[in-house]
Amino acid sequence: GDSVTQMEGPVTLSEEAFLTINCTYTATGYPSLFWYVQYPGEGLQLLLKATKADDKGSNKGFEATYRKETTSFHLEKGSVQVSDSAVYFCALSDRSYGKLTFGQGTILTVHP
Amino acid sequence: SAVISQKPSRDICQRGTSLTIQCQVDSQVTMMFWYRQQPGQSLTLIATANQGSEATYESGFVIDKFPISRPNLTFSTLTVSNMSPEDSSIYLCSVHSGTDSYEQYFGPGTRLTVT
């Protein structure tokens, strides 16, 4: 079955540091890939998405590129802020039933 | 994107009782999903609910424990039956975007604590 693996966390950074959260996947066919974010005490929000190989999703300074050859979708941000502190989930959606499969989540804490 | 509300936002229940969680969407959607997020864990799909048909449950989840209703295209309920402390989780409903990218939009979740 489909699966998503995220880098083990938590991740602690200082403000303005560079962020990378690794995500790799296993899937049959050609899934859509997503990053979702869960801020403290809030629900899950879609951060960015990519639907085919070499697509780059971007939002709020975050970027991720759909790499079919390495089955990866790493999340990056050049300069993190305290307000980016949250849990980040990598996910894929199969195109047959639209079900989402989530990675285990990465807790990001950014200190001033 | 769809706006999704859930009721209740949180509850504390005694073991052996049942709780029904409501999910309301501001537009008509075909597919709705129910997820469970256990403390410190990722999201696990419980079932997919399509209007007019029986819900489809994932491995490890059964209808007797998590009955689901889907009476129309904007509403669904999930009941957590005969609760035990292991059912303490956040329960989230989501809807399919209806686009080719297959993203889902999530409700704010219901935080359930079973004592």
Side-chain angles (χ1 to χ4, degrees):
Chain A
D2 296 346
S3 67
V4 177
T5 302
Q6 288 181 234
M7 64 183 294
E8 294 186 9
V11 175
T12 302
L13 295 173
S14 297
E15 206 164 25
E16 299 183 2
F18 183 85
L19 169 70
T20 298
I21 301 177
N22 290 337
C23 171
T24 57
Y25 67 91
T26 302
T28 55
Y30 302 95
S32 294
L33 301 175
F34 309 95
W35 278 99
Y36 282 86
V37 59
Q38 189 173 40
Y39 296 102
E42 298 185 17
L44 212 61
Q45 301 175 24
L46 177 65
L47 180 60
L48 54 82
K49 66 181 180 183
T51 59
K52 61 183 186 295
D54 300 325
D55 264 4
K56 178 184 283 188
S58 61
N59 187 25
K60 299 182 180 180
F62 292 90
E63 294 181 340
T65 301
Y66 191 143
R67 300 290 188 196
K68 187 170 181 291
E69 64 277 11
T70 54
T71 62
S72 65
F73 193 55
H74 305 321
L75 182 68
E76 296 182 336
K77 187 174 186 182
S79 176
V80 294
Q81 305 301 311
V82 173
S83 57
D84 293 326
S85 297
V87 183
Y88 292 81
F89 293 94
C90 185
L92 67 81
S93 175
D94 74 83
R95 292 175 183 269
S96 299
Y97 303 103
K99 296 192 300 185
L100 284 178
T101 301
F102 285 87
Q104 60 267 49
T106 301
I107 300 172
L108 170 66
T109 302
V110 180
H111 292 296
Chain B
S1 64
V3 176
I4 304 167
S5 59
Q6 285 185 234
K7 290 181 182 179
S9 59
R10 59 178 63 225
D11 206 341
I12 301 173
C13 301
Q14 292 191 343
R15 70 171 65 214
T17 63
S18 298
L19 176 71
T20 295
I21 302 168
Q22 300 178 8
C23 179
Q24 181 76 51
V25 188
D26 69 342
S27 58
Q28 294 185 340
V29 293
T30 303
M31 299 176 72
M32 295 180 76
F33 305 86
W34 287 98
Y35 290 83
R36 181 176 72 182
Q37 186 179 21
Q38 293 177 301
Q41 303 296 314
S42 186
L43 283 81
T44 302
L45 181 64
I46 298 172
T48 302
N50 290 336
Q51 195 268 336
S53 62
E54 294 291 321
T56 302
Y57 290 83
E58 296 299 301
S59 176
F61 298 96
V62 295
I63 187 171
D64 290 346
K65 175 67 175 177
F66 297 101
I68 289 171
S69 77
R70 183 78 202 273
N72 57 53
L73 291 173
T74 63
F75 187 79
S76 178
T77 66
L78 169 76
T79 298
V80 186
S81 304
N82 188 25
M83 288 183 285
S84 67
E86 292 71 36
D87 293 320
S88 297
S89 298
I90 298 173
Y91 292 86
L92 301 103
C93 69
S94 72
V95 302
H96 191 280
S97 66
T99 67
D100 291 342
S101 52
Y102 291 89
E103 69 258 36
Q104 293 179 18
Y105 303 116
F106 286 81
T110 295
R111 184 179 296 271
L112 170 62
T113 302
V114 184
T115 60

